Amino acid sequence: MTDGEKATSVEHGHTVNKSCVNLTCYMVLSDEERKAIGTICFLAGPVTLLENVLVLGVIASTATLRKRPSYLFIGSLALADVFASCFFTISFLHFHLFHLKDGPGAYLFKLGGVTMAFSGSVGSLLLTALDRYICIYHSSTYKVLLTRRRALLSLLILWSTIIFLSFLPLMGWRCSTGLTPPCSNLFPYINKHYQAFWTSFVLVILVLILGAYALILWKAHRHECSMTSFQGAAGKAQSRMRMDIRLARTFGLILLILVGCWVPVLSFMLVDVSVILTRDQQRAFAFCSTLCLVNSSVNPLLYALRFRELRIALLRMLQKLCCKGRCKKLTEDSSHGLPSAEDNCTALSDDEMPKARTTRPDSISEMVYSHQLTMRK
């Protein structure tokens, strides 16, 4: 019997793993599967890091963006995804590709970093969803309800809670039997009760995100229906698409990617709490876990770069780097805020001019902004 083979026997109703020496029972991937997962990580990891560092740089270098709660939450999401690209890629490749075997302390520290990164990512997505909920349900008092100070306080509470929960196994809530059942079949040294707790925690966050977006869509639908009935034939003659339909398309894409990336992993983790997983199921979980990294790589496209102001700030920053001498005047003027449409060094298409905000918003924030203007009228 080789180290990678799994011999089992039944003792007191549990399946006991006899070959789990030096974590070999968790290294279940074949050579072809290791190459495939290595390719995914080597591609998605650097891309995720570059995208989110760029988003953080734009927000940090733009005073007008740093002051707004929405961009603070986007910055928190980008920071979490930077951690995910580092912790997950390094620890995953070390374990499954290079078969580096750490001790309990080192392994649990790496796993805690991965847990912290992904927990921070979904937690920041929840704050972003709540921000949009408050913006559309309490548009007249939005700036009073969600100040920059309250946004920073919510981020402090979020990250403090996540860091504490993520490193609980390192602080002592680990499996008492080492590597044998009732330990997790997916993560060495992890207590199944902790695994069930963290999985339930993430599921609750996902449900709250779904609920927030569902309420936003319901509010938008009611508003559009009332406006259509009020305007009558004139409203039907409008050529632009209804706001609730645009929101439904946008949120549908966001939620489809979010659920598609997270539900497979969480399902395996919940099943592992009560059922002994086979080696094929362990291999499937390893591939599904890379979907969480893929989710972190598309988050900047779904959330950050859909904001018109952030795109303009990104163009300004890139042009500063490319033409410092030619754009010296732009650099001096931009210290007061985002560039206007008259800035010659900012290449904007017709769709990105401010007038487009009243004709066809292309991001959720602009849809909400249009909704606010209509309500005030």
Side-chain angles (χ1 to χ4, degrees):
M1 180 181 298
T2 62
D3 289 339
E5 292 177 344
K6 195 175 184 180
T8 58
S9 62
V10 178
E11 294 183 5
H12 306 294
H14 294 289
T15 302
V16 180
N17 188 355
K18 290 184 177 182
S19 66
C20 199
V21 180
N22 295 328
L23 308 181
T24 53
C25 63
Y26 294 93
M27 300 175 181
V28 296
L29 299 179
S30 64
D31 291 338
E32 292 76 12
E33 292 168 341
R34 288 165 57 194
K35 291 178 181 178
I37 280 191
T39 302
I40 295 173
C41 290
F42 278 123
L43 291 177
V47 170
T48 303
L49 179 63
L50 179 62
E51 288 177 336
N52 288 284
V53 166
L54 190 61
V55 171
L56 282 175
V58 172
I59 295 176
S61 63
T62 309
T64 53
L65 299 185
R66 295 196 306 268
K67 296 179 181 179
R68 296 176 57 180
S70 299
Y71 291 101
L72 292 177
F73 298 148
I74 295 297
S76 173
L77 175 63
L79 179 63
D81 290 335
V82 166
F83 289 151
S85 65
C86 296
F87 278 105
F88 179 84
T89 303
I90 293 174
S91 62
F92 197 83
L93 290 178
H94 277 190
F95 188 82
H96 286 289
L97 193 63
F98 303 115
H99 285 180
L100 296 180
K101 302 165 185 177
D102 298 314
Y107 178 85
L108 291 176
F109 175 77
K110 291 181 180 179
L111 184 62
V114 176
T115 305
M116 177 194 69
F118 288 134
S119 300
S121 183
V122 294
S124 299
L125 291 178
L126 175 61
L127 291 181
T128 301
L130 294 178
D131 170 62
R132 292 167 177 174
Y133 170 84
I134 296 174
C135 187
I136 198 169
Y137 269 81
H138 306 281
S139 57
S140 59
T141 59
Y142 171 77
K143 292 184 178 180
V144 177
L145 293 175
L146 190 59
T147 61
R148 185 174 185 270
R149 182 177 180 180
R150 290 180 178 177
L152 291 174
L153 180 60
S154 64
L155 288 174
L156 177 62
I157 294 174
L158 171 69
W159 280 100
S160 300
T161 303
I162 284 174
I163 292 174
F164 174 74
L165 296 179
S166 299
F167 289 97
L168 279 176
L170 185 62
M171 291 185 286
W173 192 0
R174 65 182 68 178
C175 188
S176 58
T177 59
L179 299 175
T180 57
C183 291
S184 170
N185 293 113
L186 300 175
F187 306 102
Y189 312 113
I190 293 299
N191 188 300
K192 285 191 175 183
H193 293 104
Y194 172 79
Q195 182 172 307
F197 166 75
W198 184 82
T199 306
S200 302
F201 173 72
V202 176
L203 283 173
V204 169
I205 292 178
L206 294 180
V207 170
L208 291 176
I209 294 174
L210 293 174
Y213 284 143
L215 290 174
I216 292 174
L217 288 176
W218 181 69
K219 179 74 172 181
H221 178 71
R222 287 187 57 190
H223 169 72
E224 290 297 322
C225 289
S226 63
M227 292 300 297
T228 301
S229 60
F230 175 76
Q231 294 174 353
K236 296 179 181 179
Q238 292 181 346
S239 60
R240 69 186 185 98
M241 190 185 303
R242 285 173 43 159
M243 185 181 70
D244 57 345
I245 298 177
R246 296 197 307 276
L247 282 174
R249 289 184 176 182
T250 302
F251 289 158
L253 177 62
I254 290 174
L255 297 178
L256 178 63
I257 294 176
L258 183 64
V259 171
C261 290
W262 277 98
V263 167
V265 172
L266 298 177
S267 300
F268 275 111
M269 294 177 67
L270 282 180
V271 171
D272 180 50
V273 173
S274 57
V275 177
I276 302 298
L277 298 181
T278 64
R279 290 176 67 86
D280 290 338
Q281 291 170 332
Q282 287 177 297
R283 286 196 290 266
F285 172 79
F287 277 96
C288 289
S289 61
T290 60
L291 293 176
C292 298
L293 181 62
V294 173
N295 181 68
S296 295
S297 67
V298 300
N299 278 340
L301 304 177
L302 290 177
Y303 295 92
L305 295 181
R306 293 187 66 86
F307 285 84
R308 184 187 305 274
E309 292 170 320
L310 194 143
R311 294 200 304 271
I312 297 175
L314 174 61
L315 289 175
R316 182 191 65 188
M317 188 182 74
L318 294 177
Q319 290 178 352
K320 279 184 183 179
L321 298 176
C322 295
C323 53
K324 290 184 179 180
R326 186 160 52 90
C327 294
K328 184 176 181 181
K329 185 177 183 301
L330 172 63
T331 305
E332 295 173 354
D333 296 339
S334 63
S335 60
H336 302 289
L338 292 173
S340 63
E342 291 78 20
D343 289 331
N344 294 327
C345 278
T346 305
L348 297 178
S349 63
D350 292 338
D351 293 336
E352 301 221 354
M353 291 296 183
K355 64 182 181 180
R357 188 183 297 274
T358 59
T359 57
R360 187 178 180 181
D362 62 350
S363 72
I364 299 170
S365 62
E366 291 159 6
M367 296 176 192
V368 173
Y369 178 79
S370 301
H371 169 76
Q372 294 174 1
L373 291 179
T374 306
M375 294 295 292
R376 290 170 185 171
K377 293 178 181 180

Coordinates of all heavy atoms in Angstrom, one line a residue, residues 61-65 67 309 312-313 316 320 330-340 343 346:
S61 N -5.5 57.3 -4.4 CA -4.9 58.5 -5.0 C -5.9 59.6 -5.4 O -5.6 60.6 -5.8 CB -4.1 58.1 -6.2 OG -4.9 57.5 -7.2
T62 N -7.2 59.3 -5.2 CA -8.3 60.2 -5.6 C -9.0 60.7 -4.3 O -9.8 59.9 -3.7 CB -9.2 59.6 -6.6 OG1 -8.5 59.1 -7.7 CG2 -10.2 60.7 -7.1
A63 N -8.9 61.9 -3.9 CA -9.5 62.4 -2.7 C -11.0 62.3 -2.7 O -11.6 62.0 -1.7 CB -9.0 63.9 -2.4
T64 N -11.6 62.6 -3.8 CA -13.1 62.6 -3.9 C -13.6 61.2 -3.7 O -14.7 61.0 -3.2 CB -13.5 63.2 -5.2 OG1 -12.9 62.5 -6.3 CG2 -13.2 64.7 -5.3
L65 N -12.9 60.2 -4.2 CA -13.4 58.8 -4.0 C -13.2 58.3 -2.6 O -14.0 57.6 -2.1 CB -12.6 57.9 -5.0 CG -12.8 58.2 -6.5 CD1 -12.1 57.1 -7.3 CD2 -14.3 58.3 -6.9
K67 N -13.5 59.8 0.1 CA -14.4 60.4 1.0 C -15.8 59.8 1.0 O -16.6 60.0 1.8 CB -14.6 61.9 0.8 CG -13.3 62.7 1.0 CD -13.5 64.2 0.7 CE -12.2 65.0 0.9 NZ -12.4 66.4 0.6
E309 N -17.1 57.3 -12.3 CA -16.1 58.2 -11.7 C -14.8 57.4 -11.5 O -13.7 58.0 -11.6 CB -16.7 58.7 -10.4 CG -17.8 59.6 -10.5 CD -18.5 59.9 -9.2 OE1 -18.6 59.0 -8.4 OE2 -18.8 61.1 -9.0
I312 N -13.0 57.2 -14.8 CA -12.4 58.5 -15.2 C -11.1 58.7 -14.4 O -10.1 59.1 -14.9 CB -13.4 59.6 -15.0 CG1 -14.6 59.5 -15.9 CG2 -12.7 61.0 -15.2 CD1 -15.7 60.5 -15.7
A313 N -11.2 58.4 -13.1 CA -10.0 58.5 -12.2 C -8.9 57.6 -12.7 O -7.7 57.9 -12.6 CB -10.4 58.2 -10.8
R316 N -7.3 59.1 -15.7 CA -6.4 60.2 -15.2 C -5.1 59.7 -14.7 O -4.0 60.2 -15.0 CB -7.2 61.0 -14.2 CG -6.4 62.2 -13.7 CD -7.1 62.9 -12.5 NE -7.0 62.0 -11.4 CZ -7.7 62.2 -10.2 NH1 -8.4 63.2 -10.1 NH2 -7.5 61.3 -9.3
K320 N -1.4 60.3 -16.2 CA -0.3 60.9 -15.4 C 1.0 60.2 -15.5 O 2.0 60.8 -15.7 CB -0.7 61.0 -13.9 CG -1.7 62.1 -13.5 CD -1.9 62.0 -12.0 CE -2.9 63.0 -11.6 NZ -3.1 63.0 -10.1
L330 N -3.0 69.2 -16.1 CA -4.1 68.3 -15.7 C -3.8 67.9 -14.2 O -4.7 67.8 -13.4 CB -4.2 67.1 -16.6 CG -5.2 66.0 -16.1 CD1 -6.6 66.5 -16.0 CD2 -5.1 64.8 -17.0
T331 N -2.5 67.6 -13.9 CA -2.1 67.1 -12.6 C -2.4 68.2 -11.6 O -2.9 67.9 -10.5 CB -0.6 66.8 -12.6 OG1 -0.4 65.8 -13.6 CG2 -0.2 66.2 -11.2
E332 N -2.2 69.4 -11.9 CA -2.4 70.5 -11.0 C -3.9 70.7 -10.8 O -4.4 70.9 -9.6 CB -1.8 71.8 -11.5 CG -0.3 71.7 -11.6 CD 0.3 73.0 -12.2 OE1 -0.5 73.8 -12.7 OE2 1.5 73.1 -12.3
D333 N -4.7 70.6 -11.8 CA -6.2 70.9 -11.7 C -6.9 69.7 -11.0 O -7.9 69.9 -10.4 CB -6.8 71.1 -13.1 CG -6.3 72.3 -13.8 OD1 -5.8 73.2 -13.0 OD2 -6.3 72.4 -15.0
S334 N -6.3 68.5 -11.2 CA -7.0 67.3 -10.7 C -7.0 67.2 -9.2 O -7.6 66.3 -8.6 CB -6.4 66.0 -11.3 OG -5.1 65.9 -10.9
S335 N -6.1 68.0 -8.5 CA -6.1 67.9 -7.1 C -7.4 68.4 -6.4 O -7.6 68.1 -5.3 CB -4.9 68.8 -6.6 OG -5.2 70.2 -6.9
H336 N -8.2 69.0 -7.2 CA -9.5 69.5 -6.7 C -10.6 68.5 -6.9 O -11.7 68.6 -6.4 CB -9.9 70.8 -7.3 CG -8.9 71.9 -7.1 ND1 -8.7 72.5 -5.9 CD2 -8.0 72.4 -7.9 CE1 -7.7 73.4 -6.0 NE2 -7.3 73.4 -7.2
G337 N -10.4 67.4 -7.6 CA -11.4 66.4 -7.8 C -11.2 65.7 -9.2 O -10.2 65.7 -9.8
L338 N -12.3 65.1 -9.6 CA -12.2 64.3 -10.9 C -12.2 65.2 -12.1 O -12.7 66.4 -12.0 CB -13.4 63.4 -11.0 CG -13.4 62.3 -10.0 CD1 -14.8 61.5 -10.1 CD2 -12.3 61.3 -10.2
P339 N -11.5 64.9 -13.2 CA -11.5 65.7 -14.4 C -12.8 65.9 -15.0 O -13.7 65.0 -14.9 CB -10.5 64.9 -15.3 CG -10.7 63.5 -14.9 CD -10.9 63.6 -13.4
S340 N -13.0 67.1 -15.5 CA -14.3 67.4 -16.2 C -14.3 67.0 -17.6 O -13.2 66.6 -18.1 CB -14.6 68.9 -16.0 OG -13.6 69.6 -16.7
D343 N -11.5 68.6 -19.9 CA -10.0 68.3 -19.8 C -9.5 67.6 -21.0 O -10.0 66.5 -21.4 CB -9.8 67.4 -18.6 CG -10.0 68.1 -17.3 OD1 -9.8 69.3 -17.2 OD2 -10.4 67.5 -16.3
T346 N -7.9 64.0 -20.9 CA -8.8 62.8 -20.6 C -9.6 62.4 -21.8 O -10.5 63.1 -22.2 CB -9.7 63.2 -19.4 OG1 -8.9 63.7 -18.3 CG2 -10.5 62.0 -19.0

